[in-house]
Amino acid sequence: MPNSERRLVLVLGPGRSGTSTMAGTLAMSGFDVPKAIAGGESNPAGFYEPRWVVNFHRGLLERADVRTLDADPDALAEMAPVLGDADVRTALRTWLEKRLGEHERLVIKDPRLVWFRDLWVDVARELGEEPGFVFMLRHPSEVSSSRSEYYDAHEVTAVAGWINVALMTEQLTQGSPRALVHYPELTADWRAQATRVRDLLELTLDPAPDVTPHPVDDFIDPTLRRRRPGWDGSPVPGYLQEHGEATFQALSDLADHGDSPERAARLDALREEYRHLHTDALALVRAHTMRARAVAVAEARRKARAQAQQRAAEQSRERRRPADPEKERLRARVRQLESSWIPGAARGRLSRLRRRSGS
């Protein structure tokens, strides 16, 4: 851990998993969120996300064609060209160095952040900082139903994406200072969880969690948790429910009891099981995907032909358009003069006629 008071905490977790609540708790305990996005209908208390970071991450994910909750276990490999781009690294270093110069303790939260974990860690280390991570845990059935309501997300793909990204987050944060925090426990007793995060990451919180009254007291309302974990009425198929449940339980065990070889092996096995599941799903829809691709190619060609025909028709109409009699008379006079010998005195007149006739 660095000796100075400068600290950088990165809050990870899918949207709707309590990341805003965690980031807000730290923001009210002495940490800064640079130019945070204001709250909205889905999160009236505030998102606690730096706008620059959100735009930075969103643009890079679009460039790599990767989704925030991408269900593809190979999606992280698609990020390699982006993460290795020197201009991208320079942009982040410039922004982060300036923010650390303005405030010694920063909390950065964005649901897309996990895809850029290596980039943030490398840049922070160049600046002499070792980031700490808070990984928010909320049951996948709660996350998927909440995302379905607020973000119009399909629950099946939301659960698959949650499994993939949750397992990836755990793997990427291995060996780093980290705290896995249950969202329900944070809302039920924020002081206990803030103290736990403080101790695991060796942070200084100001005001400390035991101070009463505290700004967080009015920030966290336990009654706002409108969902409870469970799959009743869920459109998610049983095999995906089972894998989501097993992943959540394994991560909960890690959060409650810490790292161990047995827990690491269980999570590795779940990652491998999910990879096989994803491969099998792709095999099942292969024929459909190939047909859909053929239809898309045919449609693209049809549109290209239609556009070419439209351009040709417009050019034909332009050629058939009645000519302006006056311009035609001027053009004829220009052609007559050009075919004859032109003395120097007539050259200026010819030039003026050309301009008038548009020749």
Side-chain angles (χ1 to χ4, degrees):
M1 291 293 180
N3 294 324
S4 72
E5 283 297 307
R6 291 209 317 180
R7 292 307 310 273
L8 175 64
V9 176
L10 306 179
V11 179
L12 307 179
R16 316 309 300 173
S17 63
T19 53
S20 298
T21 306
M22 186 73 251
T25 298
L26 291 174
M28 296 177 189
S29 302
F31 280 74
D32 183 56
V33 181
K35 297 184 180 179
I37 297 174
E41 180 182 354
S42 64
N43 212 341
F47 292 95
Y48 292 90
E49 298 172 350
R51 182 173 296 279
W52 184 91
V53 171
V54 170
N55 293 338
F56 178 66
H57 289 163
R58 181 184 288 134
L60 294 177
L61 283 180
E62 290 175 357
R63 178 171 151 188
D65 195 22
V66 171
R67 279 62 179 166
T68 303
L69 273 187
D70 206 303
D72 186 353
D74 292 323
L76 186 61
E78 300 298 319
M79 297 297 299
V82 170
L83 299 178
D85 189 324
D87 291 338
V88 170
R89 182 179 294 268
T90 299
L92 177 57
R93 180 187 173 107
T94 300
W95 182 87
L96 183 58
E97 186 172 25
K98 183 176 181 181
R99 300 292 87 77
L100 285 169
E102 295 169 346
H103 202 289
E104 289 186 329
R105 288 176 285 177
L106 298 181
V107 54
I108 306 297
K109 169 255 173 178
D110 177 24
R112 307 161 190 84
L113 181 57
V114 65
W115 298 100
F116 306 94
R117 180 268 175 196
D118 290 351
L119 176 65
W120 277 86
V121 170
D122 289 349
V123 169
R125 285 173 176 169
E126 289 175 5
L127 298 173
E129 303 303 317
E130 181 67 28
F133 293 91
V134 180
F135 179 10
M136 293 302 300
L137 294 177
R138 189 180 185 185
H139 196 276
S141 64
E142 293 182 83
V143 173
S144 62
S145 62
S146 183
R147 290 181 66 83
S148 176
E149 177 180 348
Y150 289 106
Y151 302 150
D152 197 26
H154 193 280
E155 287 195 45
V156 176
T157 53
V159 170
W162 182 92
I163 295 170
N164 185 48
V165 172
L167 290 171
M168 181 179 72
T169 302
E170 190 282 324
Q171 188 173 40
L172 288 175
T173 56
Q174 288 177 9
S176 294
R178 67 178 181 179
L180 282 73
V181 176
H182 290 279
Y183 173 61
E185 293 182 8
L186 178 63
T187 57
D189 186 357
W190 74 263
R191 282 184 166 82
Q193 294 305 310
T195 300
R196 181 168 165 269
V197 169
R198 179 195 65 187
D199 295 345
L200 286 171
L201 302 187
E202 298 185 16
L203 305 178
T204 298
L205 300 184
D206 183 19
D210 57 356
V211 171
T212 303
H214 196 289
V216 180
D217 292 330
D218 295 326
F219 170 61
I220 294 181
D221 181 0
T223 64
L224 288 179
R225 189 183 173 215
R226 294 180 287 270
R227 289 173 175 78
R228 292 294 181 270
W231 300 103
D232 291 344
S234 172
V236 179
Y239 66 88
L240 202 57
Q241 293 181 17
E242 291 175 7
H243 202 84
E245 194 71 38
T247 299
F248 180 73
Q249 294 303 325
L251 291 172
S252 297
D253 190 34
L254 182 65
D256 296 339
H257 304 291
D259 291 293
S260 74
E262 294 78 17
R263 295 184 188 101
R266 176 58 181 146
L267 288 162
D268 285 341
L270 286 167
R271 273 185 279 272
E272 191 62 23
E273 289 172 22
Y274 178 76
R275 178 174 291 279
H276 286 304
L277 186 154
H278 187 268
T279 300
D280 291 344
L282 291 179
L284 285 173
V285 300
R286 179 176 173 79
H288 170 80
T289 302
M290 293 178 67
R291 284 194 295 271
R293 184 181 301 167
V295 169
V297 170
E299 179 64 12
R301 288 174 177 168
R302 185 195 66 77
K303 288 183 178 180
R305 285 195 300 270
Q307 291 171 353
Q309 291 170 357
Q310 182 180 3
R311 287 194 298 268
E314 290 173 353
Q315 292 170 358
S316 178
R317 286 194 297 269
E318 185 67 26
R319 286 193 297 269
R320 292 196 302 270
R321 186 175 296 165
D324 185 332
E326 176 63 18
K327 283 192 174 183
E328 284 301 310
R329 188 186 66 78
L330 290 171
R331 289 192 180 106
R333 181 60 177 149
V334 168
R335 288 193 295 270
Q336 180 186 9
L337 289 169
E338 285 179 333
S339 64
S340 62
W341 178 75
I342 306 175
R347 288 173 186 158
R349 183 183 174 199
L350 177 58
S351 178
R352 288 192 297 275
L353 281 172
R354 278 177 174 158
R355 288 196 295 273
R356 288 174 58 193
S357 67
S359 298

